[in-house]
Amino acid sequence: MTSEHASPAPDARTVRRAVAASAIGNATEWFDYGVYAVSVAYITHNFFPGPAGTLLALSTFAFSFLIRPLGGMVWGPLGDRFGRKRVLALTILLMAGATCAIGLLPTYSVLGIAAPILLTLLRAVQGFSTGGEYGGAATFMAEYAPDRRRGFFGSFLEFGTLAGFALGSLIVLLGETFIGTAAMNEWGWRVPFLLAAPLGLIGLYLRTRLAETPIFEELQAKGQAEESATTGLKDLVLKYWPSMLTLTGLVIALNVVNYTLLTYMPTYLETIAGLPSQMVLTIMFVAQFVMMLAIPFFGALSDRVGRKPLWYGSLIGLFVMAIPMFMLIGQGSWWALLAFGVLGLLYIPQLATISATFPAMFPAHVRYAGFAITYNVATSLFGGTAPLYNQAGIAAFGNPLFPAFTMMLACVVGLVAVRFMRETRGASLRGTGLPGADQPAARAPRGQLQHK
């Protein structure tokens, strides 16, 4: 970019710090969600006693996702107006505070119906904060990353996501191992939720020590950040609805698989496959850890071959393997780990490229809002509700393969969306117009980072 308002490209050390701050903050956010996912049995025991307890606990999980679009509509425009960093500092405080408060809640035996009501309200706060967290963190990381390595650096945001889930599984597994199920049901379930407080403070510290992204600083210098406060949402809906529609299809594919594997699977393995809780937690931790190790590889691969080939391969692979792998899960024992690992590795090419693909679908002045609103609406309807409708579907039809069918349907939707997705490999995120902004910058010499 040759404008007098252009900011210099950040140096390598600054990029690494920005990546670390985004990833660790995101890990904190998703640790909070991951802990709830592997604690459904404890939540049911303490807040939803009765035959419908598991469905009610999963409904509370789903409810937080219905709040996420509201968070996206509030935090997204604020992030485009006042900056990515400020909003991300507020969202991590809200998430960590709400999660810690869950760990302090009196149970149903103490408060009666007030206990699950308070739990639901705190889950709503979590959903509201996450509505701004994820889109903001992805935008922040994408705008800091160099154009030709955005896939690699951006993959570390999802490395943080999986680290949060894996840490939640590990802590609950350690609790089950050392103090036992009875103690975990009585008081031990609180410990992982209380750990959110120090983790949130660490994430907040790292985020507040970074400057705003160079791209947002350019918007401020040209007065376009102020303009987005009044015209951003109107421009988003009227001019960029094709990008919103395409992103919706991609998010449906991404998050039906994501929340089936990462949040519903512990419940499925324990209640449907009949595995003991310690084995379930071990499977979740090992599989998530392997996925963590694989994700930077696929991020770097997307910088070489493009995002679309990885998405096509992932979606087709999941469609073909969903039913065989869920049948293998039904064999129990360590066959479940193998099956979950296969599905997880097939899913990773999508997850690894979110930060490199989704923010590039919108110009800078509506990027945070476009990503946050579209992503969270689609996730709230089809992703976060996956544990609930999968459990209800199995109960209604008596078919343990029901989650495989939902994943296959989501993959079909995703394949249609990828057909209309523009390739973002090498694209610059600078500028305020979409046409041409997401075309590969192919003329830069190999190994040289291009900053327009």
Side-chain angles (χ1 to χ4, degrees):
M1 187 168 180
T2 58
S3 166
E4 63 197 40
H5 297 301
S7 300
D11 57 45
R13 181 170 178 268
T14 301
V15 171
R16 288 194 297 267
R17 287 175 57 201
V19 169
S22 297
I24 293 174
N26 204 48
T28 300
E29 292 273 348
W30 292 102
F31 168 80
D32 303 337
Y33 268 87
V35 163
Y36 192 97
V38 295
S39 301
V40 167
Y42 313 132
I43 297 295
T44 301
H45 176 79
N46 286 285
F47 292 93
F48 302 101
T54 299
L55 277 177
L56 289 172
L58 293 175
S59 297
T60 304
F61 183 85
F63 176 73
S64 69
F65 283 83
L66 298 179
I67 304 297
R68 283 182 61 164
L70 177 61
M73 285 185 276
V74 172
W75 298 117
L78 287 176
D80 285 328
R81 170 66 177 85
F82 296 107
R84 289 60 162 126
K85 187 180 82 167
R86 293 180 183 179
V87 170
L88 288 173
L90 290 173
T91 58
I92 199 169
L93 280 177
L94 279 176
M95 173 62 90
T99 305
C100 183
I102 289 176
L104 298 172
L105 275 181
T107 62
Y108 185 90
S109 62
V110 176
L111 287 185
I113 192 65
I117 291 174
L118 289 173
L119 174 65
T120 303
L121 290 175
L122 289 172
R123 291 291 302 164
V125 173
Q126 288 181 317
F128 183 75
S129 68
T130 308
E133 159 65 27
Y134 191 72
T139 298
F140 187 85
M141 184 176 283
E143 290 184 346
Y144 255 113
D147 297 339
R148 291 191 170 273
R149 300 193 69 193
R150 187 166 292 116
F152 173 71
F153 284 116
S155 69
F156 282 94
L157 183 70
E158 299 308 326
F159 182 93
T161 297
L162 291 171
F165 275 107
L167 181 60
S169 298
L170 178 61
I171 291 174
V172 176
L173 173 61
L174 292 175
E176 285 271 358
T177 302
F178 289 105
I179 67 175
T181 302
M184 286 295 290
N185 269 323
E186 184 179 352
W187 60 270
W189 66 271
R190 297 182 183 275
V191 175
F193 288 94
L194 295 175
L195 286 175
L199 288 175
L201 291 176
I202 293 170
L204 177 66
Y205 172 77
L206 290 172
R207 284 181 171 179
T208 54
R209 288 180 59 82
L210 283 172
E212 271 297 348
T213 70
I215 291 176
F216 180 77
E217 289 178 344
E218 291 172 15
L219 288 181
Q220 282 188 313
K222 293 184 288 186
Q224 289 170 339
E226 289 79 3
E227 180 184 347
S228 71
T230 56
T231 65
L233 285 178
K234 180 181 178 182
D235 284 352
L236 183 64
V237 174
L238 295 181
K239 296 181 181 179
Y240 304 106
W241 63 265
S243 295
M244 296 178 73
L245 189 61
T246 300
L247 180 56
T248 297
L250 296 173
V251 173
I252 289 172
L254 176 87
N255 276 336
V256 168
V257 177
N258 184 85
Y259 290 103
T260 297
L261 293 181
L262 297 182
T263 62
Y264 177 61
M265 192 58 71
T267 302
Y268 183 88
L269 291 174
E270 193 164 347
T271 63
I272 307 301
L275 299 182
S277 60
Q278 287 192 26
M279 178 174 285
V280 169
L281 292 166
T282 302
I283 288 172
M284 294 302 298
F285 173 71
V286 172
Q288 290 162 354
F289 185 74
V290 171
M291 291 167 70
M292 283 172 55
L293 298 180
I295 203 166
F297 167 78
F298 284 102
L301 183 62
S302 78
D303 288 325
R304 298 181 64 85
V305 304
R307 328 300 185 201
K308 294 183 73 169
L310 267 64
W311 273 77
Y312 276 125
S314 174
L315 292 167
I316 293 171
L318 286 167
F319 182 89
V320 171
M321 298 301 292
I323 290 177
M325 290 303 102
F326 268 88
M327 292 176 67
L328 191 59
I329 287 173
Q331 300 303 308
S333 188
W334 298 109
W335 291 111
L337 174 60
L338 174 62
F340 184 29
V342 169
L343 293 174
L345 290 176
L346 286 172
Y347 168 60
I348 284 297
Q350 296 177 52
L351 194 64
T353 55
I354 290 176
S355 295
T357 303
F358 292 177
M361 298 175 72
F362 299 96
H365 72 296
V366 293
R367 180 168 294 140
Y368 197 150
F371 188 174
I373 293 172
T374 309
Y375 186 92
N376 285 300
V377 169
T379 299
S380 69
L381 296 177
F382 302 99
T385 53
L388 177 61
Y389 61 66
N390 279 320
Q391 186 77 359
I394 292 173
F397 298 103
N399 190 340
L401 297 180
F402 186 86
F405 299 139
T406 64
M407 286 173 56
M408 293 171 67
L409 181 59
C411 287
V412 172
V413 174
L415 286 169
V416 174
V418 174
R419 171 67 180 81
F420 294 95
M421 181 180 86
R422 298 190 184 190
E423 179 58 68
T424 63
R425 178 174 64 92
S428 172
L429 296 191
R430 284 178 164 81
T432 57
L434 185 64
D438 55 357
Q439 296 303 312
R443 296 182 181 176
R446 182 173 217 135
Q448 179 179 336
L449 302 182
Q450 179 173 342
H451 295 277
K452 294 183 180 179

